[in-house]
Amino acid sequence: MSASTTTDRQQFNASMRFLHWLMAAAVLTILGIGVAMVASLGGYHSLVSIHRPLGILILILVVIRFVNRLRSTLPPFPATMSPQERLAAHASEVLLYTLLFVQPLVGWAMLSAARYPIVMFGSLHLFPILPHSVMLYAFLRKAHTFLAYLLFLTFIAHFSAILFHTLIVRDGMLNRMVPWRVRAR
Amino acid sequence: MAPLANRDAKTIHSSVEPLGETGPMEKHPAPLTAGNVLARLAGIGVLLLAVVGAFLYLGGWFSPRKLTPVRFVDEFERVNGIHSGFRRNHAKGVGVRGFFDSNGQGVRLSKAVVFQSGRVPVIGRFSLGGGDPHASDELGNVRGLGLQFSLPDGEEWRTAMINLPVFPFKDPQAFYDNLVASQPDPNTHQPDPAKGVAFIASHPETARAIGIIKSGAPSSGFDNSAYYGLNAFRFVNADGASIYVRWALAPVQPYEAGSGASVDKNLNKNFLFDGLIASIRQHPLQWRLIMTVAQPGDPTDDATIPWPEGREQVDVGTLTLDSVESEKTSPARDINFDPLVLPAGMAPSNDPLLSARSAVYSQSFTRRAGETKEPSEITPAEVRK
């Protein structure tokens, strides 16, 4: 194969990078909206009205991303990563995918159990996925907060690791995911 | 860490390229000095702190005096105590059911499906203001009616109305400050009247609103009360034209002034609810749903101010409530009558109370949802009497 194959193998392919950054923006936005809306009186309604459809968008995106990942060829780990680091990277990836899938479902289920209409926009709304049960709602509402903090901490770990590799180890790890093409050195 | 897991690279590529599990070795940059490493670590620390700090800021951690839904409901609990499983305000209530017959007149105001001619089912709840679910009924108590209209396309319209023509507080802060002023003194276990006086003195709009409220004597019961949506809402019709409205339910049951007998201490403590139960069993109760349309310049952000006389009023249909039941069996107990559950064609105005009501109702709902449900004052036996 030609040199371009080497480039491909250093970086995640274009669709994976696109989905990564799209979801990064969506997830940081929804986490910010989530933490702000529960502490807000004046902004509550507008923020919740964005939070709900954005959560469903993330649910759709994570499914697309998972399928896309299965169908894509992944670049190898940098040689600078120890076996332990690779294990941790893999575990955190599994955790992130799981949280990004489960958290919107918990949100949807929680609104269903509370018998809130699950409005996306205009008259478009989703069907409930659980029966009306306020006890179930109370549990899922707590779970939604817990999972949000867990997701935020997982993001911080992910962010820390990439900063460490990029700035201290300087193995160009960030280049694997940057939106633009990076030529192999 | 980045999505790095990479079990497949070798197997997929081995047939194409004889590369190992890891990428090709890179030319390593010159080593960093110890000082350099420290500076970069510090940089990473600053970046992480900034991200975490931004989230804490958004969550209100740096503004302990900011009025939040949590602090609002905490104050309700300080004033009323915690009554397990009950709403933090309008705690005492009964469930009702019925339907709304739209006459089609509302279609020109809003494209909401509820205004097309036809009937939609309604679940509701009559309540009294205050956080004590076992309080004695008083004629002067604020009467509430929460309604949920289930539209044929699966949308919902919820509204929480009271029997006052204007609201005494213009914004959430005023409501909260009044709540604080009505908090019982730890020594006397009574609110300090001086604090109430001071609140009114510093809130002339509240004094004006109370004047309007006091100008009409409360009716004898829930069944012949009018109920007001208070806040303005924005309606959009099928042509995209947008207007502001306030709505009210006008009772078909004739007005009857509350009798002086109600101050009789021997009177049943549930006389308002018992009156409602007796009345609804005699005949279905009905209200006309009236939309008042604002003219440009009418205040849409201040529920303490009535709109001028002579505004166009549109009768959009009739609400019929034909059955009543205890909260023990009624689905209304577990419904949050959030005034911002609206179908397409209805939207909030710029009234700051609306979003705050939504936020505080939600916080109250979340707290009571997980609690043991203590029996309501109006029990199934009380309804059957």
Side-chain angles (χ1 to χ4, degrees), chain B residues 337-360:
Chain B
F337 292 101
D338 177 340
L340 291 184
V341 170
L342 300 167
M346 301 169 76
S349 66
N350 56 345
D351 188 331
L353 280 170
L354 279 172
S355 178
R357 286 176 69 189
S358 189
V360 174

Side-chain angles (χ1 to χ4, degrees), chain A residues 59-112:
Chain A
L59 178 61
I60 295 167
L61 283 176
V62 78
V63 172
I64 293 172
R65 188 171 169 191
F66 184 68
V67 171
N68 184 57
R69 186 193 185 286
L70 291 179
R71 294 162 55 96
S72 299
T73 304
L74 306 184
F77 279 126
T80 47
M81 287 179 78
S82 67
Q84 290 82 359
E85 271 188 296
R86 292 171 193 217
L87 191 67
H90 183 61
S92 79
E93 187 194 14
V94 170
L95 182 60
L96 273 171
Y97 267 91
T98 307
L99 285 172
L100 292 177
F101 182 70
V102 170
Q103 177 71 333
L105 277 180
V106 169
W108 184 355
M110 155 189 126
L111 293 179
S112 304

Side-chain angles (χ1 to χ4, degrees), chain B residues 166-183:
Chain B
V166 287
F167 198 60
F169 314 108
K170 74 172 186 334
D171 58 25
Q173 188 68 50
F175 189 109
Y176 180 82
D177 291 345
N178 178 66
L179 208 52
V180 172
S182 65
Q183 197 177 311

Side-chain angles (χ1 to χ4, degrees), chain B residues 92-297:
Chain B
K92 186 179 184 182
V94 290
V96 286
R97 293 174 201 253
F99 45 87
F100 173 68
D101 289 309
S102 168
N103 58 21
Q105 295 298 310
V107 169
R108 68 185 169 90
L109 307 178
S110 164
K111 65 182 176 191
V113 177
V114 69
F115 297 124
Q116 292 168 10
S117 293
R119 176 172 289 189
V120 298
V122 170
I123 292 171
R125 180 176 179 272
F126 283 99
S127 64
L128 288 179
D132 179 358
H134 302 291
S136 292
D137 296 358
E138 305 273 355
L139 269 186
N141 278 357
V142 174
R143 299 169 200 171
L145 175 56
L147 297 172
Q148 173 189 281
F149 301 71
S150 300
L151 314 192
D153 66 345
E155 288 185 281
E156 282 186 13
W157 174 29
R158 297 184 190 175
T159 176
M161 313 169 81
I162 56 176
N163 68 330
L164 307 182
V166 287
F167 198 60
F169 314 108
K170 74 172 186 334
D171 58 25
Q173 188 68 50
F175 189 109
Y176 180 82
D177 291 345
N178 178 66
L179 208 52
V180 172
S182 65
Q183 197 177 311
D185 183 278
N187 296 319
T188 65
H189 305 290
Q190 292 294 321
D192 179 355
K195 287 184 178 164
V197 171
F199 176 84
I200 299 287
S202 59
H203 292 81
E205 75 282 1
T206 300
R208 281 193 294 272
I210 289 175
I212 295 165
I213 292 164
K214 289 271 166 73
S215 67
S219 71
S220 61
F222 280 113
D223 57 350
N224 54 11
S225 279
Y227 297 92
Y228 301 87
L230 301 171
N231 306 110
F233 289 80
R234 191 168 61 86
F235 275 16
V236 181
N237 69 11
D239 301 329
S242 133
I243 51 163
Y244 287 94
V245 304
R246 285 173 174 173
W247 57 72
L249 285 169
V252 172
Q253 294 70 235
Y255 174 86
E256 209 177 300
S259 78
S262 62
V263 293
D264 180 352
K265 288 292 170 215
N266 297 321
L267 201 69
N268 174 5
K269 71 180 282 204
N270 299 328
F271 78 96
L272 283 172
F273 286 99
D274 287 350
L276 170 71
I277 292 162
S279 178
I280 209 167
R281 289 163 120 206
Q282 265 176 8
H283 57 86
L285 303 176
Q286 294 195 311
W287 285 261
R288 318 289 302 174
L289 180 58
I290 310 290
M291 296 288 161
T292 302
V293 182
Q295 288 290 316

Side-chain angles (χ1 to χ4, degrees), chain A residues 1 9 12 39 41-42 44-45 74-77 86 90 93 115-116 125 132 137 158 161 167 170-171 176, chain B residues 1-6 13 16 21-22 26 30 40 55 58 61 66 153 156 158 334 336 355 362 366 370:
Chain A
M1 294 290 253
R9 283 184 51 96
F12 290 94
L41 292 173
Y44 178 79
H45 178 68
L74 306 184
F77 279 126
R86 292 171 193 217
H90 183 61
E93 187 194 14
R115 217 199 170 297
Y116 283 112
H125 54 272
H132 189 190
Y137 163 75
H158 171 76
L167 293 174
R170 292 182 298 159
D171 54 6
R176 290 154 51 89
Chain B
M1 268 161 246
L4 303 170
N6 184 25
H13 273 269
V16 187
E21 175 84 12
T22 57
E26 293 170 351
R40 286 172 175 232
F55 272 82
L58 285 173
W61 270 276
K66 182 189 169 202
D153 66 345
E156 282 186 13
R158 297 184 190 175
D334 293 344
N336 172 9
S355 178
S362 169
T366 299

